[in-house]
């Protein structure tokens, strides 16, 4: 979900010059001040598949909340928030999207800490206070390949960005040292999970991150030995021997198209050649703002997968 003044989530009544980026959604703001965003997700080839005009049509149709200065979008999966130079992305389309929506001020995507100050600081403080109270302002849904051994629990690990060749990858640090934490080379991360349903070796999970770090949820799911369906970046870290999953170190598991068994491919109606275009099944379903929760239903491909696998179509967090 993305939000713009902000989805994957929430809106409010008062004028809001800023918003935030959560996972695979974005908070957009239409304010005169400039803002910044960060995104570690791919989306290469999107422009060749749809092009700017069709993508703009998708974005216009994906507006789920519009009130005051806040606009929420259910961002199409696979479209990067920030792309490489010359690559189609949400940010490059914001001026055209603003004109389509009839907005007079510019749209901005913001990921805290951001350069639009007052409202962003207020929202960030709200999220920080909520987490300190043991609350989870953000709720995701994920379809996983594999079922966690425990029906619910927490994933705790350190995470850091590591350079491997010409790419930067997010890797777990199971026992981070105090110095690395103090220098912010590693961040302690926590995600609460609950199994909402399981069928045919797959599961529907509710995920509530207590912390925020790029790629936190996909990496945490690999630590459960249950990578997200459509995760072509981290799923290779989960290997199998005689059907039993085990964790591979990141350096021994280069990025590749996710491997699925023939039975799962058949149920999803996919050929091995089509697999690389399978989107990541990780959906930001609810974001709680001071004015209340903002929710979006899963996108059609996500719902179709639930039906094909016989998983429950839970809509409420």
């Amino acid at each position: 979900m993305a939000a713009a003044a902000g989805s994957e989530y929430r809106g409010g009544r008062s004028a809001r010059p800023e918003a935030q980026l959560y996972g695979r959604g974005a908070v957009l703001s239409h304010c005169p001040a400039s803002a910044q965003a960060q995104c570690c997700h791919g989306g290469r080839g999107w422009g060749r598949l749809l092009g700017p005009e069709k993508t703009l049509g998708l974005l216009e149709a994906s507006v789920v909340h519009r009130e005051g200065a806040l606009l929420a979008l259910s961002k199409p999966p696979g479209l990067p928030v920030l792309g490489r130079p010359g690559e189609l992305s949400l940010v490059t389309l914001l001026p055209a999207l603003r004109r389509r929506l009839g907005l007079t001020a510019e749209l901005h995507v913001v990921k805290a800490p951001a350069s639009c100050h007052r409202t962003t600081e207020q929202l960030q403080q709200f999220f920080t206070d909520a987490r300190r109270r043991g609350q989870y302002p953000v709720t995701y849904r994920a379809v996983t390949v594999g079922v966690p051994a425990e029906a619910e629990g927490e994933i705790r690990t350190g995470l850091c960005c590591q350079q491997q060749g010409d790419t930067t990858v997010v890797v777990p640090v199971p026992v981070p040292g105090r110095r690395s934490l103090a220098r912010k080379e590693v961040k302690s991360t926590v995600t609460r999970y609950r199994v909402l349903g399981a069928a045919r070796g797959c599961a529907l999970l509710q995920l509530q991150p207590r912390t925020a770090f790029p790629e936190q949820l996909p990496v945490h799911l690999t630590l459960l030995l249950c990578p997200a369906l459509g995760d072509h970046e981290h799923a290779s870290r989960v290997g199998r021997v005689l059907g039993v999953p085990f964790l591979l170190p990141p350096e021994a598991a280069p990025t590749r198209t996710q491997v699925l068994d023939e039975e799962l491919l058949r149920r999803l109606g996919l050929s091995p050649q089509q697999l690389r275009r399978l989107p990541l099944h990780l959906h930001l379903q609810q974001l709680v703002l001071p004015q209340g929760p903002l929710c979006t239903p899963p996108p059609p491909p996500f719902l179709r997968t639930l039906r094909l696998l016989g998983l429950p179509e839970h809509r409420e967090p």
Side-chain angles (χ1 to χ4, degrees):
M1 177 197 305
S7 180
E8 274 168 64
Y9 303 73
R10 293 355 164 228
R13 294 184 177 278
S14 60
R16 303 177 103 31
E18 311 78 18
Q20 280 194 325
L21 172 68
Y22 285 93
R24 297 191 176 265
V27 174
L28 310 181
S29 64
H30 42 101
C31 66
S34 64
Q36 297 177 349
Q38 297 176 4
C39 184
C40 293
H41 306 308
R44 293 179 285 277
W46 179 282
R48 294 192 301 273
L49 291 173
L50 288 184
E53 284 303 314
K54 288 186 177 179
T55 302
L56 278 170
L58 282 177
L59 289 174
E60 185 178 11
S62 71
V63 174
V64 296
H65 183 91
R66 181 174 176 178
E67 190 170 4
L70 189 63
L71 176 73
L73 308 174
S74 185
K75 183 181 71 66
L79 176 67
V81 176
L82 286 181
R84 297 177 179 181
E87 183 180 61
L88 192 67
S89 68
L90 177 61
V91 167
T92 61
L93 292 172
L94 289 184
L97 180 62
R98 175 184 64 83
R99 291 190 294 270
R100 279 205 179 206
L101 296 176
L103 302 174
T104 56
E106 293 183 2
L107 284 170
H108 300 281
V109 181
V110 180
K111 179 177 176 65
S115 57
C116 269
H117 300 298
R118 183 179 301 174
T119 303
T120 298
E121 290 174 356
Q122 292 173 349
L123 285 173
Q124 185 61 24
Q125 189 61 50
F126 172 79
F127 297 131
T128 299
D129 292 343
R131 292 187 177 106
R132 285 175 179 169
R133 293 191 299 267
Q135 299 172 344
Y136 295 85
V138 185
T139 299
Y140 289 80
R141 294 285 187 269
V143 177
T144 62
V145 181
V147 182
E150 302 293 334
E152 58 183 298
E154 283 189 341
I155 308 140
R156 294 176 175 267
T157 189
L159 291 178
C160 74
C161 292
Q162 186 179 93
Q163 195 70 24
Q164 291 185 3
D166 59 353
T167 61
T168 300
V169 298
V170 177
V171 299
V173 183
V175 187
R178 292 183 179 179
R179 290 184 179 180
S180 62
L181 291 171
R183 291 194 295 262
K184 298 185 178 180
E185 298 168 348
V186 179
K187 180 172 181 177
S188 292
T189 59
V190 182
T191 298
R192 178 183 176 185
Y193 77 89
R194 182 163 64 95
V195 178
L196 301 177
R200 301 174 178 87
C202 295
L204 174 65
L205 267 58
Q206 173 181 281
L207 301 170
Q208 293 178 304
R210 179 75 67 88
T211 53
F213 195 87
E215 303 289 341
Q216 174 176 320
L217 296 183
V219 174
H220 278 192
L221 288 174
T222 66
L223 297 179
L224 280 180
L225 301 179
C226 299
L229 182 66
D231 182 357
H232 307 302
E233 297 185 40
H234 309 285
S236 58
R237 300 180 190 177
V238 179
R240 288 183 179 272
V241 174
L242 299 177
V244 179
F246 66 95
L247 194 65
L248 288 164
E251 59 273 14
T255 297
R256 64 176 183 181
T257 300
Q258 187 176 30
V259 176
L260 302 179
D261 62 39
E262 292 182 4
E263 174 62 19
L264 184 52
L265 283 174
R266 185 185 66 80
R267 288 198 170 273
L268 294 175
L270 297 173
S271 68
Q273 294 73 29
Q274 294 170 320
L275 186 55
R276 63 185 179 86
R277 295 175 60 180
L278 182 68
L280 180 71
H281 282 57
L282 179 62
H283 169 65
L284 176 52
Q285 181 156 346
Q286 176 175 283
L287 176 66
V288 179
L289 290 183
Q291 294 79 8
L294 176 63
C295 302
T296 59
F302 195 106
L303 288 173
R304 179 176 182 272
T305 295
L306 295 181
R307 292 166 187 153
L308 290 173
L309 297 179
L311 292 170
E313 296 179 29
H314 285 264
R315 299 183 184 278
E316 68 285 343

